[in-house]
Amino acid sequence: MAPPKFLGLSGRPLSLAVSTVATTGFLLFGYDQGVMSGIITAPAFNNFFQETKDNSTMQGLITAIYEIGCLLGAMFVLWTGDMLGRRKNIIVGAFIMALGVIIQVTCQAGSSPFAQLFVGRVVMGFGNGMNTSTIPTYQAECSKTSNRGLLICIEGGVIAFGTLIAYWIDYGASYGPDDLVWRFPIAFQLIFAIFICIPMFFLPESPRWLLSHGRTQDAERVIAALRGYEIDGPETIQERNLIVDSLRASGGFGQKSTPFKALFTGGKTQHFRRLLLGSSSQIMQQVGGCNAVIYYFPILFQDSIGETHNMSMLLGGVNMVVYSIFATVSWFVIERVGRRRLFLIGSIGQMLSMVLVFACLIPGDPMTARGAAVGLFTYIAFFGATWLPLPWLYPAEVNPIRTRGKANAVSTCSNWMFNFLIVMVTPIMVDKIGWGTYLFFACMNAIFIPIIYFFYPETARRSLEEIDIIFAKGYVDKISYVKAAKELPHLAPEEIEVYANRYGLVDSDSNGEGGNRRDEEKSRDRTDQSDSDSPAHVDVVDEHGVESGFGDGINTKTKR
């Protein structure tokens, strides 16, 4: 029997289609990060939106208000994401982003254009907040263990390519008529939004989300399609049962929405600790100074180094080329080097780069200040290779399946709150304290190093279910979770139940077998069920022996 298909595809081609659409969402995210930097100080833009002319506070506000929209979108996913599902959230998010673009580009003189631009930025941010909260989770839940890190790193990496496209479109449009200078770069985002919205109608939902809602047959169809298996094959049944076991371990099987109180629990599942790990990575990405460089690179060159507007924009475009090149580094090393080492390398590199920047700005001499440009270039290189993709990957895999949707939304909320703060205050800091701005960011990066070293366990080359066992091991053995990750061997699928039983994720006394069951029995039972067309033959959960998870998964014996 051939594997089921979505969009006429199955197996690797279908997985590639899922990744392409998901990646486009982050390409659009990167584009919007960079698009305002090239037009916010353009004379044509400032003459049309008078409020921004020679006013760093209003320039910061119209740029940063987008982050407030993103925060609201992430909060919307926090409340409704588990009910709507990954796929619907992405479709709605892309549609709202398209609506926000239309609101912005239709501004007309004499009819409060600044207020309309303000609203359009918030609306577009709302859609982006929904997408950035959902896409990493969707990608992680649809990917294989072997390429999950790579695919999400590619998503994070293309943020740089989106910013690169925005910078050069801004630069090219600056030579056109006044309206083209700012309307075309903003309108260009519609292309990305359409490419996300339409294909998602035909792509599958996350199999883990389907199983968390008890939609077993739909989940089997998606698993078989994504992996290229037969829908009744043993590989499909094994992967389905591992996911259900993981849901059972966290108490999330069949729940339409995870209660918020589940985010704050400890014990063997360590939901709260894992929430903090994911959220802190997003916070550190922002307070490390990335958007001070990405959003305001031309302004930094004009105000801190003394270059002309045209030269500042040109150098900003060159900096984004460097950014994009180094953003691909993580694609090749993420699984070999690991998450922890890349976090540490990035923090050290960003800290030293910011030291170079503020040291060269202290004398106040234009020639010496040019050395600060080197620091900005090395900063963006280190950031692109490490801190750009990692905070989108780490929360998506470190949080357990039951709380992943809400926890990832909380992490994204954290990102946008601090994103808004940094984008809002950076032009004011540069204006008031000059080189002290970069000293602040250097100190922040120095603080990250011990936090990562002592508290961030490695998740490279681990299945999402193995990561659950790492935290159970740390809790039961009363050791640090970093050490637990180092000590736990890499597990084959059939070993996961054994280790889950060892660390108390299975009620081993409930059925006398530790919840274990041979794959042959699972496959045979599933085949027995598929032979009957009777509605009475349906999947039921074996409540005896899998209540705490990692046991029998789904008992596919017929219900009489």
Side-chain angles (χ1 to χ4, degrees), residues 6-52:
F6 291 86
L7 204 63
L9 305 170
S10 64
R12 183 181 176 86
L14 178 59
S15 295
L16 183 61
V18 167
S19 299
T20 301
V21 175
T23 297
T24 304
F26 273 74
L27 189 68
L28 175 54
F29 169 29
Y31 184 94
D32 203 83
Q33 269 198 321
V35 71
M36 288 302 292
S37 63
I39 62 178
I40 192 68
T41 57
F45 182 86
N46 295 149
N47 290 334
F48 193 90
F49 301 101
Q50 291 286 330
E51 293 85 349
T52 65

Side-chain angles (χ1 to χ4, degrees), residues 413-543:
C413 287
S414 303
N415 178 287
W416 292 119
M417 281 192 289
F418 283 86
N419 193 318
F420 171 78
L421 175 65
I422 297 301
V423 172
M424 185 68 199
V425 304
T426 293
I428 301 171
M429 291 174 69
V430 171
D431 183 50
K432 300 298 183 184
I433 63 175
W435 59 265
T437 305
Y438 308 99
L439 172 61
F440 169 79
F441 290 130
C443 292
M444 288 296 99
N445 281 282
I447 292 171
F448 301 163
I449 297 170
I451 294 174
I452 294 162
Y453 185 82
F454 290 109
F455 297 107
Y456 275 47
E458 183 57 73
T459 56
R461 300 183 301 279
R462 297 286 191 182
S463 71
L464 298 176
E465 288 69 38
E466 280 181 274
I467 295 170
D468 292 338
I469 297 175
I470 288 173
F471 286 91
K473 174 179 172 61
Y475 178 79
V476 172
D477 292 351
K478 300 188 184 306
I479 59 175
S480 78
Y481 298 91
V482 172
K483 184 177 181 181
K486 290 180 180 178
E487 291 183 355
L488 184 71
H490 289 275
L491 307 177
E494 57 272 14
E495 294 177 304
I496 291 176
E497 288 183 4
V498 176
Y499 275 83
N501 182 41
R502 179 182 301 176
Y503 292 109
L505 290 173
V506 174
D507 183 3
S508 59
D509 295 328
S510 61
N511 62 2
E513 297 177 322
N516 293 319
R517 184 173 53 173
R518 293 192 305 271
D519 289 335
E520 291 82 359
E521 292 176 336
K522 296 177 184 177
S523 179
R524 185 181 65 247
D525 289 339
R526 181 64 182 84
T527 303
D528 290 342
Q529 181 195 6
S530 66
D531 288 339
S532 173
D533 294 328
S534 170
H537 289 72
V538 296
D539 289 331
V540 298
V541 179
D542 181 1
E543 299 291 349

Side-chain angles (χ1 to χ4, degrees), residues 73-357:
M75 292 175 66
F76 178 81
V77 172
L78 181 62
W79 288 97
T80 66
D82 285 337
M83 291 183 286
L84 284 179
R86 321 307 189 209
R87 184 171 149 273
K88 287 181 181 177
N89 268 299
I90 295 171
I91 292 171
V92 173
F95 178 81
I96 292 175
M97 290 187 81
L99 180 62
V101 171
I102 294 170
I103 292 173
Q104 292 176 73
V105 299
T106 55
C107 290
Q108 298 295 320
S111 58
S112 302
F114 184 79
Q116 185 172 337
L117 179 71
F118 189 94
V119 171
R121 293 280 292 167
V122 174
V123 171
M124 187 170 180
F126 190 95
N128 189 58
M130 291 183 65
N131 282 349
T132 53
S133 296
T134 308
I135 288 174
T137 301
Y138 178 68
Q139 182 70 84
E141 293 182 345
C142 290
S143 303
K144 292 182 178 179
T145 300
S146 58
N147 63 5
R148 182 185 67 243
L150 170 63
L151 291 174
I152 299 180
C153 274
I154 290 175
E155 281 179 13
V158 299
I159 295 174
F161 286 92
T163 308
L164 171 67
I165 295 169
Y167 262 77
W168 285 107
I169 285 181
D170 282 351
Y171 184 73
S174 69
Y175 289 95
D178 285 356
D179 272 353
L180 185 73
V181 168
W182 63 272
R183 290 189 197 270
F184 178 75
I186 294 174
F188 192 78
Q189 297 168 100
L190 278 173
I191 296 174
F192 301 119
I194 292 169
F195 189 80
I196 298 165
C197 194
I198 294 176
M200 280 305 300
F201 276 103
F202 306 100
L203 290 174
E205 179 56 86
S206 157
R208 286 173 168 82
W209 182 86
L210 290 169
L211 283 170
S212 70
H213 284 63
R215 294 169 56 180
T216 306
Q217 293 181 343
D218 290 339
E220 289 173 354
R221 182 168 175 260
V222 172
I223 291 169
L226 288 170
R227 305 292 180 254
Y229 300 152
E230 292 184 2
I231 196 167
D232 295 327
E235 301 96 338
T236 302
I237 306 306
Q238 182 183 59
E239 182 165 342
R240 180 206 65 188
N241 280 333
L242 285 174
I243 296 170
V244 172
D245 290 344
S246 181
L247 280 165
R248 278 290 175 189
S250 58
F253 185 83
Q255 289 190 345
K256 293 190 179 298
S257 182
T258 301
F260 281 96
K261 65 180 181 180
L263 295 173
F264 303 101
T265 56
K268 295 164 188 172
T269 54
Q270 288 293 300
H271 290 170
F272 185 55
R273 173 181 287 271
R274 296 158 82 169
L275 171 70
L276 291 178
L277 288 172
S279 299
S280 63
S281 70
Q282 293 277 25
I283 292 170
M284 289 190 286
Q285 183 196 61
Q286 296 305 313
V287 298
C290 63
N291 281 316
V293 178
I294 294 169
Y295 276 88
Y296 297 117
F297 193 93
I299 295 177
L300 298 179
F301 264 74
Q302 284 180 241
D303 296 348
S304 298
I305 301 178
E307 295 289 351
T308 65
H309 175 73
N310 185 69
M311 181 57 70
S312 296
M313 286 192 64
L314 184 60
L315 289 173
V318 173
N319 193 39
M320 288 304 102
V321 173
V322 175
Y323 182 32
S324 301
I325 291 171
F326 279 88
T328 65
V329 170
S330 64
W331 303 357
F332 303 101
V333 301
I334 184 63
E335 296 300 344
R336 284 181 290 178
V337 176
R339 286 53 159 162
R340 273 170 53 83
R341 288 181 184 175
L342 281 183
F343 271 131
L344 292 169
I345 291 169
S347 299
I348 294 169
Q350 291 177 179
M351 175 189 69
L352 295 177
S353 297
M354 285 298 184
V355 169
L356 178 61
V357 173

Side-chain angles (χ1 to χ4, degrees), residues 378-434:
T378 57
Y379 176 93
I380 209 68
F382 276 104
F383 175 76
T386 58
W387 276 97
L388 170 63
L390 287 174
W392 299 104
L393 166 62
Y394 203 70
E397 60 183 11
V398 77
N399 287 295
I401 189 169
R402 183 189 182 193
T403 62
R404 187 172 298 127
K406 277 189 166 56
N408 212 40
V410 170
S411 297
T412 308
C413 287
S414 303
N415 178 287
W416 292 119
M417 281 192 289
F418 283 86
N419 193 318
F420 171 78
L421 175 65
I422 297 301
V423 172
M424 185 68 199
V425 304
T426 293
I428 301 171
M429 291 174 69
V430 171
D431 183 50
K432 300 298 183 184
I433 63 175

